[in-house]
Amino acid sequence: MQQEASLRGRFGPYGGRYAPETLMHPLEELEAAYLAASSDPSFQQELDVLLRHYAGRPTPLYLARRLSEHCGGARIYLKREDLLHTGAHKINNCLGQGLLARRMGKRRLIAETGAGQHGVATATVAALLGFQCVIYMGEVDMARQRLNVFRMRLLGAEVVPVSAGSRTLKEAISEAMRDWVTNLEDTYYLLGSALGPHPYPLMVRDFQKVIGQETRQQIVEAEGRLPDLLIACVGGGSNAIGLFYEFVKDEQVAMVGVEAGGRGLALGEHAARFQGGSPGVLHGTYTYILQDEMGQISTTHSVSAGLDYAAVGPEHAMLFESKRAEYTYCSDADALAACRTLSQLEGIIPALESAHAVAEVLRRAPPAVGQVFVVNLSGRGDKDMEILERELKL
Amino acid sequence: MATRICQRWEQLQNRGDKAFIGFVMAGDPDISKSTEVVLALAEAGVDIIELGIPFSEPIADGPVIQRAGERALKNGAYLPAILEMVRQIRHASQVPLLLFSYLNPILRYGLERFAADAVSSGADGALITDLSVEEAALYVAEMQRKGLDTVFLAAPTSTEERLKRVAELSTGFVYAISRAGVTGVREQLSESVTPLLRRLRIYTSLPIAVGFGISRPEHLAELAPLAEGVVVGSALVRCIEEHPENPAQQVAELARWLCKGFKMNPQ
């Protein structure tokens, strides 16, 4: 399970630890603390209790009958991470890392956030466990996810606007890293996706793999067999790797990650790293990134703030190159339409991030008669009401 | 053959003097003014010049150097233009030049091609902020093949094991970070630098330069008995920012002022 750790967090050629020297030993300490915690039954037990009684695990695997009928092909199951406390899968990772931070004796949690879901989950865990909390958020994201900004403040966190560059997730991560390197003594950087320098991609994957583990049991109970296809949206890729990881060894289970196609495939108009990107180093990890010919990081666009980022988690880069998983993209317009479709067929309003996965289901399900699909409904759409109201003009 | 960096240390050592190392962002505010800045700093007696290669995500830099990078990128200061700038500087000066970069622009350019073009343009070595010693093998091999110096960072947070590796892979000198944090001007130097220097000397006989947060003559005076050199970055970059019309003259004056009392024979 931990074999990657001994290889300095490599997933094939991807991953690694590319950080300024000042952060290198703190990352080594974090790795050691995480490995010790993950083999300590009392840590796992405390996390399990919180996941069950505080976050609301296990989440249901719901057969979406009307959606399946509408498509006329595959039987479509939704893994209901949207039902978790705080409204998205992000809480799984935040509870795990929050307990780790407490174990390491830190007093202050910092985090970046795009859509605000990770920021809300971090602020929540900070309140629960008694940490001081600072969240970095791009000004563009603060405007488009206003409600989440207020939620974080209500939970007692300080939200710091980031005004550099494209003023979205990329700049928020840079600013959080600057805070961390300046306040190493008392501060724990609670990175929200399966990104960044080792051990973050490994650790975040491990805290999210419960999604796939539950799914395996639930689908076998419901269908008597494994699913034919798993579908998840991919920003940094934590919800996707959380679902996929448990099934990587089951060759008969196909996997599709859906990136943000934005407004089109010109550089700057999307966040589809596997379409328009190439290998490079951003924020401490070697992976597929969107960059120009001079190695400068490109700006990105997506209607969904949570997918609007120039790098993808390194484990996805490995799954992409080995062709174990397929990666595609979905436009802003298709995601908005899918959000409406799911809302009106099932009474479930997905987050715009998750709507990208739903859009791919709508494309693939019709011809897939007799097949079983599982889509990770990673978050709920409450935070997106203002964008939906503006875009859908109902 | 020893690089200009190594030759300069030798000269300094022979006359018992300290190195004043200046960091500026290449292409800030534009390539031509930036070339003038480098030449003026060399003229003012700056011993080694660190030439920053701007990057869109400068995670180790404070706001002053972040803004300098933005200005430089806006004016097209990408790696090929910067190597050409080095070529131009070499027509007029033999000041030791250390390229200071984040990894991705170098990776994209190609490690082998970077080493080849850096040496042919007249650069003397490089420091890559986010390239840790663990990941540096290929880079070090390419640089060494071309006779270029590879300077690595040592931090107050570095363990003994890490300092040992930093010392092994560094040539030219070792850059000791004065305290945890990003680049930027500070009133007081942290006390963390003295123990770091003591630990680092166990592993290296290379000269050690101290950087991060050094902006005042008192800082230099404080460090003079401790280290072979000091690096001043944000203070010079801020001076360039404040004088966009004639940055070369202003920054040279600042360098002369800072050198006073630190170097034996300030020019």
Side-chain angles (χ1 to χ4, degrees), chain A residues 8 10 15-26 28 164-165 170-171 173-175 177-179 181-182 184 278-284 286 289 291-298, chain B residues 54-62 66 70 73 77-80 103-105 107-108 129-135 153-159 162-163 166 177 179-182 186 212:
Chain A
R8 291 204 304 269
R10 288 286 171 179
R17 184 182 278 159
Y18 298 88
E21 178 60 22
T22 309
L23 285 181
M24 289 301 289
H25 183 59
E28 291 170 348
K170 170 165 76 77
E171 290 76 18
I173 295 178
S174 291
E175 206 53 36
M177 291 180 94
R178 292 187 190 108
D179 179 316
V181 77
T182 308
L184 288 165
S278 52
V281 168
L282 177 61
H283 291 139
Y286 180 62
I289 62 177
Q291 57 182 328
D292 67 16
E293 70 279 12
M294 293 296 168
Q296 304 292 335
I297 307 306
S298 307
Chain B
F55 181 50
S56 52
E57 303 307 316
I59 55 164
D61 286 304
Q66 286 179 46
E70 283 171 23
L73 285 176
Y78 298 109
L79 190 47
L103 179 58
N104 201 55
L107 267 189
R108 184 70 181 184
T129 314
D130 54 347
L131 182 62
S132 60
V133 286
E134 286 89 337
E135 313 285 3
L153 297 165
T157 52
S158 304
T159 55
R162 302 198 59 80
L163 290 181
V166 164
I177 297 173
R179 45 125 196 77
V182 294
R186 278 176 188 65
F212 277 44

Side-chain angles (χ1 to χ4, degrees), chain B residues 34 37 70 73 78 90 93-94 103 115 130 143 150 163 174 180 217 224 234 237 239 242 265:
Chain B
S34 182
V37 162
E70 283 171 23
L73 285 176
Y78 298 109
R90 281 288 170 253
S93 170
Q94 294 304 309
L103 179 58
D130 54 347
M143 295 291 279
T150 51
L163 290 181
V174 181
S234 297
V237 173
C239 173
E242 284 167 356
N265 305 306

